[in-house]
Amino acid sequence: MKRGLFCLVALLLAAGGCGDKSATGAASGTAAGGTTGAPVSARPAQAPPRPKEPPRGPRKPADPAVMKSFHAERCHVGLLTLGLARTAYEKSMGKDRPGPKIPDLGAPEVKMGNPAHLYLRLARICNVAGAADKPPHEELDKALHAAVEVGPPLAQALSDAGDYYTKKENEKDDFAKGRELHTNIKKGFEKLDVVTKGVGDALPSWHKEFPPKLEAAPAQKSHLIVMRAKAVFEAMLAGKDAAEIDKLIADVVTATDELDAATKDLKGDAYAAYVPKAARTFIERAKAAAADKKIPNLVSVGSGVGSLFEAENNAYKQDISGYVPPDPEADNPHHGMH
């Protein structure tokens, strides 16, 4: 009996010892590995507060005259570039229709996609320019309305032709669609000179009546870059000598450097954000075309001028939005055409 009680006590003590050991192990495990201990809250950690957006002032309405100038100038560049497409097309085809000949559309090569789409990108702005009735200007408005009827449809036909030949659809329909496009393209080419001259002749009187009001250096210098770039393109189309073209390109380089200098301390400046990059791309293309006056190189220059007008337009629209840089020490960059 005594022996039985002794064994029972021994068993109870052993069980208690095991329990203590387990508890001790759990405690030591918590200290060593940190896998147990105080319960972790199921509530997710609070997300950090979102950064405050920079304050914005009241948005100024865009000046209709400024916007109309952008669109009219870009339309003119698009029409001039379509003239290069005509030269390439007619040289490649002569009096023949497509099949088996494939027309040369004059567009620079692209890594993928339709190279002739750039004509549509450049010329369809004529639709916007033609719809800009404020402020009215009889000569320019008449010229732009005529351009709407020629430039965008011709550019669309060239783009469609580029897509058609890029996809080799002529091999499937024996040039049927190519001949249909050829008819539309030729009709557009016949009217192109008249509308191009109309817009080009009207722009000087428009600018005289509605000169851009450039109040700050970045806007002034950006506009100078764009107009000098257009002068380079027009000089190339007119067949000016190499020395004159090199000088005009150098003028664009100088104006771009001046814009960089004027905006280097203006954080968040809209013109610095858009124009210099487009200007450097244009300069590179212009130098290539000056060295080799192949039509695709000249088309690339025209595309570069169009991109510069677009960059200036984007900078102007951002500039009037009232954007204030988040850095309180930064100079207020609000300036532009008003």
Side-chain angles (χ1 to χ4, degrees), residues 236 242 245-246 249 285-293 298 301:
M236 288 180 169
I245 289 174
D246 287 345
I249 295 173
R285 294 179 180 182
K287 288 180 177 179
D292 185 354
K293 296 180 176 61
L298 294 172
V301 173

Side-chain angles (χ1 to χ4, degrees), residues 138-213:
E138 183 177 357
E139 183 183 4
L140 181 60
D141 291 346
K142 181 179 179 180
L144 290 173
H145 291 160
V148 168
E149 301 299 320
V150 177
L154 173 57
Q156 182 67 65
L158 288 167
S159 180
D160 290 345
D163 191 55
Y164 172 75
Y165 291 112
T166 298
K167 294 179 179 178
K168 300 185 183 300
E169 293 180 6
N170 55 294
E171 297 177 1
K172 301 175 184 178
D173 69 355
D174 195 25
F175 288 91
K177 183 177 179 180
R179 295 189 183 101
E180 179 183 338
L181 289 168
H182 174 77
T183 300
N184 295 332
I185 289 169
K186 292 291 287 183
K187 287 180 179 178
F189 284 159
E190 291 171 1
K191 303 173 183 177
L192 183 60
D193 281 345
V194 173
V195 297
T196 304
K197 186 176 186 301
V199 176
D201 289 348
L203 281 170
S205 62
W206 159 263
H207 287 307
K208 184 176 180 179
E209 186 172 347
F210 300 100
K213 299 176 182 178

Side-chain angles (χ1 to χ4, degrees), residues 25-36:
S28 62
T30 302
T35 56
T36 62

Side-chain angles (χ1 to χ4, degrees), residues 1 20-21 36-37 64 90 102 105 113 119 131 134 141 161 181 189 202 253 266 276 291 321:
M1 181 70 178
D20 292 343
K21 184 176 181 181
T36 62
E90 293 181 345
I102 295 178
L105 303 178
Y119 296 123
K134 294 180 181 179
D141 291 346
L181 289 168
F189 284 159
V253 173
L266 298 179
S321 68

Side-chain angles (χ1 to χ4, degrees), residues 16-310:
C18 292
D20 292 343
K21 184 176 181 181
S22 175
T24 305
S28 62
T30 302
T35 56
T36 62
V40 179
S41 173
R43 180 182 298 175
Q46 186 175 1
R50 297 177 65 180
K52 294 182 179 180
E53 292 187 3
R56 292 180 180 270
R59 182 179 178 85
K60 300 176 184 177
D63 185 334
V66 171
M67 299 303 295
K68 188 169 182 174
S69 288
F70 285 140
H71 299 325
E73 287 285 2
R74 288 176 64 192
C75 175
H76 188 225
V77 171
L79 296 172
L80 290 171
T81 309
L82 288 174
L84 291 167
R86 178 182 59 191
T87 301
Y89 193 100
E90 293 181 345
K91 183 178 179 180
S92 67
M93 297 305 298
K95 296 182 179 180
D96 297 330
R97 297 190 306 164
K101 287 184 179 180
I102 295 178
D104 179 4
L105 303 178
E109 294 182 2
V110 294
K111 292 181 179 179
M112 59 184 300
N114 175 11
H117 181 71
L118 71 82
Y119 296 123
L120 186 57
R121 181 179 65 82
L122 288 170
R124 64 187 172 192
I125 197 66
C126 293
N127 290 324
V128 180
D133 56 354
K134 294 180 181 179
H137 186 277
E138 183 177 357
E139 183 183 4
L140 181 60
D141 291 346
K142 181 179 179 180
L144 290 173
H145 291 160
V148 168
E149 301 299 320
V150 177
L154 173 57
Q156 182 67 65
L158 288 167
S159 180
D160 290 345
D163 191 55
Y164 172 75
Y165 291 112
T166 298
K167 294 179 179 178
K168 300 185 183 300
E169 293 180 6
N170 55 294
E171 297 177 1
K172 301 175 184 178
D173 69 355
D174 195 25
F175 288 91
K177 183 177 179 180
R179 295 189 183 101
E180 179 183 338
L181 289 168
H182 174 77
T183 300
N184 295 332
I185 289 169
K186 292 291 287 183
K187 287 180 179 178
F189 284 159
E190 291 171 1
K191 303 173 183 177
L192 183 60
D193 281 345
V194 173
V195 297
T196 304
K197 186 176 186 301
V199 176
D201 289 348
L203 281 170
S205 62
W206 159 263
H207 287 307
K208 184 176 180 179
E209 186 172 347
F210 300 100
K213 299 176 182 178
L214 308 173
E215 297 183 355
Q220 293 172 355
K221 294 182 184 300
S222 293
H223 191 65
L224 183 62
I225 291 170
V226 176
M227 296 310 294
R228 284 183 174 179
K230 188 186 179 190
V232 171
F233 184 44
E234 291 180 314
M236 288 180 169
L237 296 180
K240 299 294 183 180
D241 62 67
E244 182 174 351
I245 289 174
D246 287 345
K247 181 181 182 304
L248 291 171
I249 295 173
D251 289 342
V252 179
V253 173
T254 299
T256 304
D257 291 342
E258 290 176 352
L259 176 61
D260 286 337
T263 58
K264 67 178 181 179
D265 295 326
L266 298 179
K267 296 182 180 179
D269 181 80
Y271 290 93
Y274 286 100
V275 177
K277 182 178 179 180
R280 293 187 184 95
T281 299
F282 167 81
I283 292 165
E284 180 181 342
R285 294 179 180 182
K287 288 180 177 179
D292 185 354
K293 296 180 176 61
K294 292 188 298 186
I295 287 180
N297 289 345
L298 294 172
V299 170
S300 184
V301 173
S303 177
V305 179
S307 295
L308 262 172
F309 274 111
E310 185 176 4

